[in-house]
Amino acid sequence: MRPHRALTARGVCMLVFGLLALGGGLIVGQRELVGVGVLLLALPPLAALTILGASSRVVHSRTVWPTRVPVGYEARVRLRVSNASRVWPAAFVSFADTLPLPLGEEPRYTVGHLGPRAVREVGYLVRPSVRGDHLLGPLRVTVTDPLGCVRVDRSLGAPSRLLVTPAAVPLEAPASADGAKGEESPRRPVGGVGEQDPVPREYRYGDELRRVHWRSTAKHGRLMVRQEEQRRREDGAVLLDARRGAHGPEGPTGSLETAVSVAASVATSLLDSGHDLRLHTEGGRIPALTAADALDALALVEASDSPGLIGGIDPLGDGRGTTGLTVAVLGSVCAEETAALSRSGDGIRVAVLCAHAAWPDREALWGARDVLTAAGWRTIVLSSVTELPGMWSRAIAGADESTSFVGRPASPASAQAGPHVFWKGPR
């Protein structure tokens, strides 16, 4: 960026007093006063010559570590500012690093005199409160002459990126179809039969000899090997309601951020426990093969202007075969959307309703909860992702009956029961 030159307050005062002294001296015929006026008028231009090209000689580098952090965690930024000239110094140098509002106030530093080939290093910490792909920079450098009359401002370098992923809490891994959890899921042969009766195939070049099945080899008269065993993988589907109109005001404590954190917690738990995951919003599917992929993708999810959630409910039944676990993380939903959701999903179905979303009133929230609970969904009502682990463990415990879990008391009558209130069955 081209440098911007400007007079400081001191430089302006010098020119004003210089003009006054020069004019007054000429009027009253005082040569000394005229000389003072000429000197004051000459100082700002002479000072500007001393910093000619100084800002272009200042170079910098920025290091961000780590470049990917969860919400609420710190990242360290190191700035290295140096004078690239072998001969000319930079008289008085100060700089500030440009930061987006969610990362806090811009750090400002005064380096002072920066001699030829001189280097200064500074560092600061940022603790982002909002997920997203944030830009750090560019660096704004200010060079001032020794008398402080003229200032040159210039922006240096390209911004650095800091990816802030949503806050996720650890959750208990859901049980598989046979009751095992996570990596404890049993292995099974490809042919679908037990180890006592394997389905062999003909030996191929490169097969391990320890897999040779000698009984089948003797029977067929040619070398036969056991089939490869495959790990049984459960399917999971997660729907995130990211509609702007379904959530309350935006910000770190908004219901959309709570919904994203809940979806991130569930998605990472499923992927880490070996599930195949289908993660999507009302706007389409979000690619997520690993837990890191899911967190990175959810970090970039923005509120959509979609008027309805039906487009996100329909894909819940598009999985191959039966989905072992279906999770819907919801903002405010209308009666039509609640009815459509009650008929969708496979396997264990868990609905997480954000209590501080844009519900018309409390009755709408409890009504949606009751409809989903009656349809077989295990419903959770919460206001913060920190309330999720305990209620999640009970929701996936394997109870046959529908259940509902409420994180915070929603009325004075329920406030007597404490911070976690449990209902079984309809309200």
Side-chain angles (χ1 to χ4, degrees):
M1 183 177 177
R2 297 183 61 181
H4 173 71
R5 299 175 178 83
L7 287 172
T8 64
R10 182 180 299 177
V12 173
C13 290
M14 283 187 177
L15 291 180
V16 172
F17 286 119
L19 288 174
L20 292 176
L22 179 60
L26 292 175
I27 291 174
V28 301
Q30 290 290 332
R31 294 183 178 180
E32 294 80 0
L33 195 55
V34 172
V36 171
V38 171
L39 178 61
L40 291 176
L41 290 173
L43 280 178
L46 292 175
L49 292 177
T50 64
I51 59 173
L52 189 63
S55 63
S56 61
R57 296 193 293 269
V58 177
V59 295
H60 90 292
S61 63
R62 182 190 298 101
T63 304
V64 182
W65 187 87
T67 57
R68 177 181 179 274
V69 295
V71 168
Y73 283 73
E74 292 181 344
R76 183 178 297 275
V77 183
R78 188 182 69 176
L79 293 171
R80 181 185 177 94
V81 179
S82 60
N83 185 356
S85 174
R86 295 178 179 270
V87 179
W88 302 103
F92 192 86
V93 179
S94 60
F95 58 87
D97 207 13
T98 306
L99 294 183
L101 187 60
L103 298 187
E105 296 182 0
E106 298 178 348
R108 300 177 181 272
Y109 301 93
T110 298
V111 176
H113 180 81
L114 196 62
R117 291 295 184 181
V119 178
R120 300 288 188 275
E121 287 189 0
V122 297
Y124 63 93
L125 298 175
V126 292
R127 180 177 290 179
S129 59
V130 178
R131 62 183 174 83
D133 190 10
H134 301 294
L135 297 180
L136 284 64
L139 190 72
R140 299 201 310 273
V141 176
T142 300
V143 180
T144 310
D145 69 276
L147 296 177
C149 297
V150 181
R151 182 182 68 247
V152 180
D153 298 318
R154 186 179 185 183
S155 295
L156 300 180
S160 302
R161 292 188 177 274
L162 176 64
L163 182 64
V164 182
T165 59
V169 295
L171 301 178
E172 180 181 346
S176 61
D178 53 14
K181 292 184 179 181
E183 293 299 326
E184 299 175 359
S185 299
R187 293 177 179 269
R188 63 178 180 182
V190 170
V193 293
E195 183 65 25
Q196 302 299 325
D197 186 21
V199 178
R201 62 170 174 79
E202 191 171 353
Y203 174 85
R204 301 188 189 121
Y205 178 78
D207 287 335
E208 298 179 5
L209 291 179
R210 63 184 177 85
R211 291 175 47 219
V212 174
H213 192 253
W214 298 110
R215 184 184 302 173
S216 299
T217 298
K219 178 181 179 179
H220 293 280
R222 56 184 182 274
L223 208 58
M224 306 292 288
V225 297
R226 295 183 179 89
Q227 291 259 26
E228 289 272 5
E229 291 181 340
Q230 295 180 343
R231 183 177 297 276
R232 180 182 301 154
R233 295 179 64 88
E234 297 290 331
D235 291 332
V238 177
L239 166 64
L240 169 62
D241 182 0
R243 296 172 298 154
R244 193 186 312 275
H247 292 278
E250 298 181 3
T253 60
S255 61
L256 177 59
E257 297 306 314
T258 300
V260 172
S261 294
V262 170
S265 302
V266 175
T268 54
S269 175
L270 293 179
L271 290 168
D272 286 340
S273 60
H275 284 69
D276 288 325
L277 177 67
R278 289 181 289 117
L279 174 63
H280 58 91
T281 67
E282 69 285 345
R285 186 165 181 176
I286 300 176
L289 298 179
T290 64
D293 292 340
L295 289 174
D296 292 350
L298 289 172
L300 305 178
V301 169
E302 297 181 354
S304 73
D305 295 322
S306 177
L309 191 61
I310 301 300
I313 296 174
D314 292 340
L316 289 179
D318 291 347
R320 298 177 179 179
T322 301
T323 302
L325 177 65
T326 302
V327 181
V329 186
L330 306 172
S332 172
V333 289
C334 65
E336 179 185 358
E337 294 161 348
T338 305
L341 190 62
S342 65
R343 298 188 297 268
S344 64
D346 294 317
I348 298 175
R349 299 181 297 171
V350 180
V352 181
L353 284 71
C354 296
H356 55 309
W359 297 97
D361 49 46
R362 282 296 177 183
E363 289 303 319
L365 170 61
W366 302 132
R369 186 205 64 167
D370 291 344
V371 170
L372 293 175
T373 302
W377 285 76
R378 304 173 187 183
T379 57
I380 295 173
V381 181
L382 50 72
S383 298
S384 171
V385 70
T386 57
E387 303 170 3
L388 180 63
M391 291 184 287
W392 174 262
S393 299
R394 297 196 295 271
I396 64 169
D400 293 334
E401 66 273 10
S402 301
T403 53
S404 175
F405 305 88
V406 180
R408 290 182 180 177
S411 64
S414 60
Q416 303 295 330
H420 289 88
V421 183
F422 168 68
W423 279 271
K424 188 174 184 179
R427 179 170 57 91

